[in-house]
Amino acid sequence: MKYYILFGPPGAGKGTHAGALAQKYNLKHISTGELLRAEIAAGTELGREAKSLIDKGALVPDSVVEGMIETAFDTIKNVEGFLLDGFPRNLSQASDLDAILAKRGEEVTAVVALMISDETIRTRIKGRAIIEGRADDASDETISNRIKTYHAQTEPLIEYYKKAGKYYECNADLGTIEDNRNRVLALVESIGK
Ligand code: ADP
């Protein structure tokens, strides 16, 4: 099985390009953010607890997202691998993922990173707020906190995966959505060659 991590700051286009990658390589796309929003929409206890953290721009507890990921690995069949989007998001999630995969005799295949500037994060998220109506996209304060959370907790994963020889990056800031998608597809195609 392949285990790709789609990595990048909020607004980098992970969700936008995941479908094309998943289709091309027969992967199941798993977005922890989408799974959490589904819990919120369903009004579950987990959703209620997650909502207050998400609305602040903070991360939900590791155990919550790791449980979702393990359930997905246990239950989803008939794919050639997984495309993880928004997970892992800090160093402990990354080392826990390594352990979860090691138990299965598997490992992370590659990290595909989409890079954009902080300025682009803000303009993309503000545009998306109008289209998707996400509460965590609407407030400047929440966006600022998500940018801070990204730099403090998520960015250190770049070094972690570089050391493991699994880090592949492309620019996702320039050109049209189509241009960016083509860059991402070409990057994944180049991995392992
Ligand atoms: P974005 O890429 O725009 O930040 P996501 O849908 O990936 O959007 O995430 C939305 C929110 O869900 C995050 O700001 C965070 O609060 C929560 N979240 C998603 N994935 C994780 C994770 N792996 N660990 C902790 N919190 C998460």
Side-chain angles (χ1 to χ4, degrees):
M1 292 281 272
K2 303 274 191 199
Y3 293 86
Y4 289 103
I5 296 168
L6 198 50
F7 182 88
K14 302 186 293 292
T16 303
H17 303 308
L21 282 172
Q23 198 181 7
K24 181 167 178 191
Y25 297 101
N26 189 23
L27 308 170
K28 173 70 183 174
H29 170 216
I30 300 175
S31 157
T32 42
E34 272 174 25
L35 292 174
L36 291 166
R37 284 189 288 281
E39 294 283 338
I40 295 171
T44 63
E45 175 73 32
L46 192 158
R48 271 194 296 279
E49 283 167 21
K51 182 170 169 40
S52 60
L53 291 162
I54 292 173
D55 286 350
K56 276 190 259 178
L59 298 182
V60 306
D62 295 345
S63 58
V64 170
V65 284
E66 288 169 13
M68 291 174 153
I69 291 288
E70 285 211 78
T71 303
F73 291 166
D74 284 339
T75 55
I76 294 162
K77 311 280 176 222
N78 301 322
V79 290
E80 283 170 57
F82 292 87
L83 182 61
L84 306 181
D85 159 3
F87 178 87
R89 234 176 170 98
N90 60 30
L91 284 169
S92 60
Q93 290 178 15
S95 63
D96 291 346
L97 174 62
D98 285 344
I100 289 168
L101 291 177
K103 267 195 312 198
R104 298 166 180 269
E106 302 276 7
E107 59 175 289
V108 169
T109 305
V111 176
V112 178
L114 311 184
M115 277 308 138
I116 61 173
S117 65
D118 285 1
E119 199 190 321
T120 303
I121 300 178
R122 283 181 194 282
T123 48
R124 292 238 183 111
I125 291 182
K126 287 195 164 179
R128 188 170 72 182
I130 301 161
I131 300 162
E132 294 183 12
R134 271 172 57 177
D136 63 337
D137 284 347
S139 130
D140 280 328
E141 199 188 334
T142 302
I143 297 170
S144 293
N145 282 336
R146 282 158 67 195
I147 293 173
K148 272 190 219 148
T149 302
Y150 170 76
H151 288 303
Q153 298 194 50
T154 311
E155 211 165 42
L157 295 184
I158 296 174
E159 269 316 300
Y160 182 87
Y161 287 113
K162 272 186 183 167
K163 279 198 188 120
K166 294 184 173 177
Y167 184 79
Y168 300 82
E169 180 181 300
C170 69
N171 182 287
D173 214 328
L174 308 168
T176 62
I177 290 180
E178 190 71 35
D179 294 335
N180 284 301
R181 178 170 298 124
N182 289 335
R183 269 201 297 277
V184 178
L185 287 167
L187 180 66
V188 176
E189 197 55 33
S190 75
I191 293 171
K193 286 200 174 146

